Every structure is written in structure tokens, then in C-alpha cells.
Amino acid sequence: MLPHIEEDVPEFLLQRNTVAYCSQLHVKRTKSSLLLSRNLRFYEFRKKELVHHVDLKSTCLQKLAKELQAYSGPISSFLIRDDVADVSGDSTSYSMLHAAEELPLSIGKFVWLGEHIYVLLKCWQTLLVLQRPSEHGGSFKLIAQHDNVEEYRLVRGPIKYQAYVELHFSNGKRQRTNFQTAATGEVAALGTTAACSAAGFQRLLQRVHGARAELHTQRALTHQDFVRARDLNAFGAPGQRSPLLEEKQLLRRCGDVWTRICGNSLVLGTLLSNSAGSNRPSILHALRPLVRLPSGDGLNFTHRLYELPLQADCQPPEDYDELAQFWACQEQHSTSISWRLATNNAQLPPERSAVLLVRLQLEDLLKLEEQLQLLALYEIHGEFKRQLQLQLISLNVTELLEQPELHVPSFKPQTLHQDFLAVIMTQTAHCPLRLQFQSVAEQRQFEQLLESKLGLTGTTVKQESQHAFQPLDEEDFAFGNNCSSSSSSKHPRINLQRIFYNPQTQLLMLHNDPDQHWHIYAHSQSELCLLLRRLLRDLLQLHCNVTLLELHKDECSVPGNAALLLESALRDELQARSQLLQLQPPRTQLTANEALKRVHQLEMSSDLLVTVINSQNQPQSL
């Protein structure tokens, strides 16, 4: 027995009184063994495991049952003949094997269009055609059975590179087939007219298949051309987006892109710098982000540019390595928070840097299952206006939204500036208030009021401000001068900044200790004005001495729709009162308390709006 047959077929089926014939089947880099038993059963095994099988007792092979039981010939065409087995020695050749046409049993294979596999089982002059199933463990399907078949061979068919099977019968007739028609139990002589009509139908069918394949190919090519044209329109020519950024890109990204979730918004931020030097001064114009999805759909977003803090000499940072270290340092509280909104029409001068912030709505990202591409677009004006782009990040929004608590602003020393920029990006109203107390204790009392009533959490930011170098005068060397006062004035002074933040209401307040400035950030101008009135009322209740109180009127003006807001608030208050009066007598104490609490809240809102409208035409003296 051949070794590869013994590896697949179980040992109890390899007995000489059980097996009649066996062969190997190779299909797509996998091999298995086919076996015809003497009890008219056909098997396919692979590694001792039964793959497919069929019972042939109901076929025309039943007439040859006695011949199969008495068959004593070779069970494979690859076994050496008995007359040369003793004299072969170690050398073998093809002439020592049995000729396939001399054996009464044979097993062949026919594949149609790379999908349908047929097994041709020939026993003497009887041919059975079995279709191999695609699923594991299925049974062979009997397709056709023919008698008086002398031989069969593969011939060229009408389809290019696809063979047909030609059957030669003992009466001299021939039949060319691909086993795609219905099976016939007996051989019927096909007339000339029927053969011609079948061949013509096959040719028409193949033309339809060819036209359909060509249509699919043209669709794929058209789609590729459309995608290529869309990318060219969005990103420019390939020569303008070379991977060598240090050669072609003037815009550089320093550090990674960081993400923050503030309320119902997602903020993306990164540091961008213009690498153009004095030898090639180029201003980057129209610096803006581009949010792109692989499907081509767009998202609504807003963006801002914030300038970096200036140095002690009021010059921008020049060393780009220090800028990268600024974002990567573990103690960001060593740098003062002095961000300002860029007002130069989205321009980035040479050797200057800015922080690009992009705000997206979370409701637009909930059903997003694809990655989000963030790019930075900018223009270079010269003889010709060129638009370039820089890839910033490919963001997986699904993974980010699975753990939103990791992206909430915490104002830790490692992410202090990033959290501050993310929060003010989500605020639309800003008001600077200068408030100076007579003593530090009174200021601390006011800060405790903010933490207790408004739910704000304070974070301290320290910075050592160094004095600039100045030449010494002659009076500094004079005897008897107060050296202690002059030397003490040259020591670095510690500037304090405190950040007050409420995660629920997204209210943010920044206090600069040297100048006694309070920067207040809120969602809207109405909310900001109501908050200022509340702070002024609380200052009166604290009984503390305020030496200076200045408010920038332009930054906190009465909104133009204050009357409409008052009308809406009065309608809500009237509806709440009517619902409270319509409660039935068998009401619970909890329901009544909730309704009364809502009426009081609406009363407070309408009263504050009335106060704002009354003070609109009055001069404000603080």
C-alpha cells in the first residue's frame, strides 16, 4: 500500500478483501484519499477522518458487484508491477508502473470554473460521475452514469482555459459534456440539430457571462477613478504631499494630538509650528482643520487658534525642542497660563507656533463606526497660491467613547494647559473682572464662597518670574545704601494663579494673583450676566472690604434677546403654577414638594432676567 494512502485511510479499510481501488485527490493545496470498497461504497478520507461518502448500490454499478468481489488486480495505478518488483532494486521508473488504460478500474477528477469538482469513477465500461460537496461531512451527489464507455479524456471547450470531458463509447459515438445538464441513466444518441442548439446556447451564455464580468470591471475602474479624483481635489497633487515632511512641509506638529470630553463636546488639540526660518520667510495663510471620514461624509465642527505664552522678553519661543518639551513635561504648572486667541486671520508667521483646537459634537459621533481623519490645511502665497495639508491623526472614535472617563478634564499638573484650553474651547462667553480685597483672608473667604455655593474646585498654578538683566548704576556701589532692599527686589517673585472649575456646569474661573484679574468663562452671555449679578450679591453678604472692583462692560453686555428670554421664562412659570394647582387631593408629599421646588426655580430665573433688563439702561458703576 502507498504511504500517503495509509496516512489518510483507516487501517481496517486497507485490507485486501475490503478495498477494490484507491487514489489521491488534490484540491487547492489540500490532498485526500479516495477509496472504492468491494461492498459498493465510495469514501473520501483525510488524516483518518471521513470527509465525504456515498452508497453506490442503487446505481448501475450493482451489476458489477460480483466482479468487484472477485477483482484481484492492482488497487492503485502507482503500484509497481509484480513482474518487475523483484528486479527493480533501489531504482524505479515510470515504465515499472501499471498503464492506466490497462486497468479496469480508475478514478479521475474534473473541475468546472474552479468551483464544481466532479469525481469520475470508471469500472470496466461503466462510468459514474459524482459531484463532490462543498460542506464537510456531506455525501457525494450522483450526476450521471454511462455504460459502454471505452475511455474519456479532457478536450478544449468554447471557454478559454476551461476544458470539457469527451466520452468515447464502444459503438464509436462521442459525447462532449461539462456535467452541468441533468443526469441521464442511459446513453442517448444526440442528433445533429440538438447538438448544434445546445452548443449555440452555451456560446450565448458565455457571452452573457463575459459581458457581465466586463461590466463589473468597468464599475470597479470607474469607482477607483472617482476616488482618485476626489482625493486629488481634497489633498492636492501627490508631489505636494511627500512623506519627507522636513523637505516639503512648512507646517509641523509638535507632540501628539490630545482629546478631551467636555459635556456634550469632544475637543481635539495639537501644537503646530511654522518651520520657515529667516532664510526662507513664508507666512502660512488660512490655517484651518479638515475632518474627513473614509465614506466621504462630513461632520460639523468649530475650531480656534490660540497663541503660545510669550517669553520674559515678550518674544515668542524660538526653540522647537523646548516647545515639544513643554507639552511632554510632567510639571506643566511651572508655566503661567496666559493663552490668547489668535487675531491674525488664521495666519502663522515664520518661527511662530499656535495651538489648533477642534470641537465636535458627541451626538454626531455616537453612530460613527469608522475612523476619523484629522488634517490641517494651509496656504502659501507667492507667485502661485498653493494649498497644502498635513495629516494629524487617525482617531478611532468607538474606542474613545467606550472609556469617556479617561478623557475628562482633571487639571492635573501633567495636563493643566491642555485641560484649560479644552474647557474654554467649549465656552462662548468670556468676561474679565478685576477684584481686589483689602486682605488675603477676605480673598480666601470669597474663594471658599465659590467652592461652597457654585461647586467649584480650585487648582493652584505657580510660576517664578525672573527679572530681566539690567546694568548696575554707580549708586549701587555707594557706601551706606540700603543693599537689602535692592537685593531683595532682585529675587524672583512667585506668581500665583488659581483655576476654579465645576465639571457639571462647565463653569471656569481663572484668578491671576499679581493683577487681581478674574477671567470667567460660561456657555452663553445670558448665563455669564446672571452669574455676575449673583457674585455681586454674594459680595454684599460677605461683609468684606473690597478696595477695587472693575468690570469690562463690553465683555458682559445684556443680550439682545433678553426680552424674549423673559417671556419664555414667564410662560414656563405660569405653566408650572397651573400644574401645581391642578394636582388632585390624594397627592403624595413628594410630588407636591417637587412641583413647588420647580415653581421656585422658575421664579428665580424670571426675577434675575427682570433685574438684567432693568439695569440695561442704567449706568453701571462698580
Side-chain angles (χ1 to χ4, degrees):
M1 183 60 64
L2 297 175
H4 54 268
I5 300 294
E6 295 178 351
E7 293 178 359
D8 295 334
V9 182
E11 186 177 355
F12 70 93
L13 289 177
L14 294 177
Q15 305 299 325
R16 193 65 177 88
N17 57 356
T18 303
V19 60
Y21 195 80
C22 59
S23 180
Q24 277 225 316
L25 178 65
H26 296 268
V27 178
K28 295 181 180 179
R29 298 183 180 180
T30 61
K31 67 181 185 65
S32 58
S33 298
L34 302 175
L35 186 140
L36 175 64
S37 64
R38 297 179 185 271
N39 56 355
L40 299 182
R41 288 184 176 274
F42 191 69
Y43 304 98
E44 180 182 353
F45 287 95
R46 184 186 299 119
K47 301 298 181 181
K48 308 294 183 180
E49 181 183 2
L50 181 61
V51 182
H52 305 104
H53 64 91
V54 67
D55 190 359
L56 303 177
K57 293 181 181 179
S58 59
T59 63
C60 60
L61 203 62
Q62 179 66 30
K63 299 182 297 183
L64 303 175
K66 296 182 179 179
E67 285 82 351
L68 283 176
Q69 290 291 343
Y71 176 70
S72 60
I75 62 176
S76 177
S77 61
F78 291 94
L79 294 176
I80 300 178
R81 300 197 310 269
D82 297 336
D83 55 347
V84 297
D86 299 334
V87 299
S88 62
D90 296 334
S91 61
T92 57
S93 63
Y94 181 78
S95 61
M96 300 179 183
L97 303 179
H98 294 276
E101 58 273 7
E102 297 177 357
L103 298 179
L105 305 179
S106 65
I107 298 178
K109 179 187 72 172
F110 174 68
V111 181
W112 173 253
L113 297 180
E115 297 180 358
H116 305 286
I117 301 175
Y118 300 92
V119 177
L120 308 179
L121 178 59
K122 184 174 180 297
C123 299
W124 285 275
Q125 291 189 345
T126 301
L127 178 66
L128 298 182
V129 181
L130 306 176
Q131 184 177 3
R132 185 176 180 266
S134 58
E135 64 275 4
H136 184 81
S139 300
F140 286 95
K141 181 180 179 181
L142 181 63
I143 299 300
Q145 43 188 346
H146 302 276
D147 289 334
N148 301 325
V149 178
E150 291 289 341
E151 62 175 353
Y152 63 88
R153 63 175 182 173
L154 297 179
V155 296
R156 183 178 301 175
I159 304 178
K160 195 174 184 180
Y161 306 117
Q162 176 59 58
Y164 275 64
V165 178
E166 187 178 75
L167 307 179
H168 293 223
F169 298 96
S170 56
N171 56 2
K173 295 182 179 179
R174 298 182 180 181
Q175 180 183 356
R176 182 178 298 181
T177 179
N178 56 359
F179 306 117
Q180 299 302 305
T181 57
T184 56
E186 298 179 358
V187 177
L190 299 177
T192 306
T193 305
C196 293
S197 61
F201 177 76
Q202 290 293 335
R203 286 193 295 270
L204 292 176
L205 186 61
Q206 296 307 321
R207 290 177 60 185
V208 171
H209 290 331
R212 184 175 299 172
E214 185 178 358
L215 176 62
H216 290 321
T217 304
Q218 292 297 331
R219 284 180 177 177
L221 294 176
T222 303
H223 178 70
Q224 292 178 1
D225 294 340
F226 175 74
V227 172
R228 192 180 299 109
R230 186 180 59 185
D231 291 345
L232 183 62
N233 187 26
F235 308 116
Q240 298 178 0
R241 43 178 173 166
S242 172
L244 302 176
L245 301 182
E246 64 276 4
E247 294 182 3
K248 301 234 175 163
Q249 287 282 4
L250 296 180
L251 185 65
R252 291 187 180 181
R253 188 193 73 186
C254 299
D256 297 331
V257 177
W258 42 270
T259 58
R260 293 294 183 272
I261 295 179
C262 302
N264 58 353
S265 301
L266 173 64
V267 180
L268 308 177
T270 185
L271 174 64
L272 301 177
S273 62
N274 186 355
S275 61
S278 58
N279 57 345
R280 189 183 56 179
S282 298
I283 300 177
L284 305 184
H285 300 267
L287 180 58
R288 61 197 183 278
L290 173 63
V291 179
R292 180 178 180 270
L293 300 177
S295 59
D297 300 333
L299 291 176
N300 295 326
F301 66 92
T302 58
H303 72 280
R304 296 178 189 171
L305 282 175
Y306 284 91
E307 294 180 348
L308 283 174
L310 302 180
Q311 293 180 347
D313 55 355
C314 297
Q315 295 296 325
E318 298 180 356
D319 193 353
Y320 298 105
D321 296 333
E322 293 182 0
L323 297 181
Q325 293 174 5
F326 170 75
W327 290 106
C329 66
Q330 297 298 322
E331 299 295 334
Q332 288 190 9
H333 64 259
S334 61
T335 304
S336 174
I337 297 179
S338 56
W339 299 98
R340 60 184 182 184
L341 190 64
T343 59
N344 50 0
N345 298 326
Q347 295 181 3
L348 195 59
E351 299 182 351
R352 294 289 295 271
S353 303
V355 173
L356 176 64
L357 298 176
V358 180
R359 177 186 175 187
L360 300 169
Q361 296 296 330
L362 289 179
E363 58 183 359
D364 299 336
L365 306 177
L366 293 178
K367 298 182 180 180
L368 190 62
E369 298 180 355
E370 48 191 348
Q371 288 191 345
L372 183 144
Q373 304 288 336
L374 178 62
L375 301 97
L377 302 181
Y378 62 97
E379 297 178 357
I380 298 178
H381 295 175
E383 296 181 0
F384 302 97
K385 181 187 296 184
R386 291 189 304 160
Q387 179 176 341
L388 305 178
Q389 57 86 25
L390 175 65
Q391 172 74 19
L392 297 180
I393 191 176
S394 296
L395 185 63
N396 193 338
V397 183
T398 304
E399 296 180 358
L400 186 143
L401 296 181
E402 288 179 355
Q403 295 179 337
E405 63 277 0
L406 300 179
H407 306 273
V408 176
S410 59
F411 289 94
K412 296 181 179 179
Q414 296 83 358
T415 60
L416 185 64
H417 293 261
Q418 299 172 356
D419 296 337
F420 178 80
L421 289 173
V423 173
I424 66 175
M425 179 63 191
T426 59
Q427 310 296 342
T428 58
H430 169 228
C431 176
L433 175 67
R434 191 175 183 184
L435 184 62
Q436 186 174 357
F437 295 89
Q438 188 174 4
S439 62
V440 179
E442 294 176 348
Q443 177 181 336
R444 181 57 184 166
Q445 186 180 1
F446 177 70
E447 293 178 354
Q448 292 177 356
L449 175 68
L450 297 178
E451 295 177 354
S452 60
K453 282 195 173 183
L454 299 181
L456 300 174
T457 304
T459 303
T460 304
V461 183
K462 297 181 180 180
Q463 183 195 18
E464 293 184 357
S465 59
Q466 302 290 342
H467 290 278
F469 173 78
Q470 297 179 357
L472 295 177
D473 297 333
E474 296 181 357
E475 289 80 3
D476 295 337
F477 293 96
F479 178 79
N481 284 349
N482 190 0
C483 299
S484 60
S485 61
S486 61
S487 60
S488 61
S489 63
K490 293 181 175 59
H491 285 297
R493 185 182 59 178
I494 298 178
N495 299 334
L496 293 179
Q497 288 183 324
R498 286 184 59 83
I499 297 176
F500 297 90
Y501 177 64
N502 189 341
Q504 284 74 24
T505 61
Q506 306 293 321
L507 178 63
L508 179 67
M509 298 180 65
L510 174 63
H511 175 215
N512 290 326
D513 190 17
D515 302 328
Q516 298 298 331
H517 278 113
W518 293 77
H519 294 270
I520 307 175
Y521 299 89
H523 283 293
S524 61
Q525 290 289 344
S526 301
E527 182 180 353
L528 184 61
C529 293
L530 295 177
L531 177 62
L532 289 175
R533 266 64 179 185
R534 182 177 179 181
L535 291 178
L536 296 179
R537 183 191 60 186
D538 294 340
L539 282 175
L540 297 176
Q541 297 177 359
L542 281 178
H543 302 289
C544 57
N545 296 323
V546 179
T547 60
L548 180 63
L549 180 59
E550 294 180 356
L551 177 65
H552 292 255
K553 300 179 182 180
D554 296 337
E555 297 291 342
C556 182
S557 59
V558 178
N561 59 345
L564 296 178
L565 294 176
L566 177 60
E567 182 182 356
S568 178
L570 292 176
R571 291 180 184 275
D572 294 340
E573 181 183 350
L574 180 61
Q575 184 178 2
R577 286 182 176 275
S578 62
Q579 293 177 358
L580 178 61
L581 296 176
Q582 291 177 2
L583 290 177
Q584 299 298 327
R587 60 187 179 184
T588 60
Q589 186 67 23
L590 181 61
T591 305
N593 292 338
E594 291 180 354
L596 186 60
K597 181 179 179 181
R598 175 167 175 76
V599 170
H600 290 166
Q601 291 176 351
L602 294 175
E603 284 180 354
M604 181 178 294
S605 300
S606 58
D607 292 343
L608 290 175
L609 285 172
V610 170
T611 304
V612 171
I613 295 177
N614 291 336
S615 61
Q616 182 174 5
N617 297 326
Q618 297 178 2
Q620 187 176 8
S621 60
L622 296 177

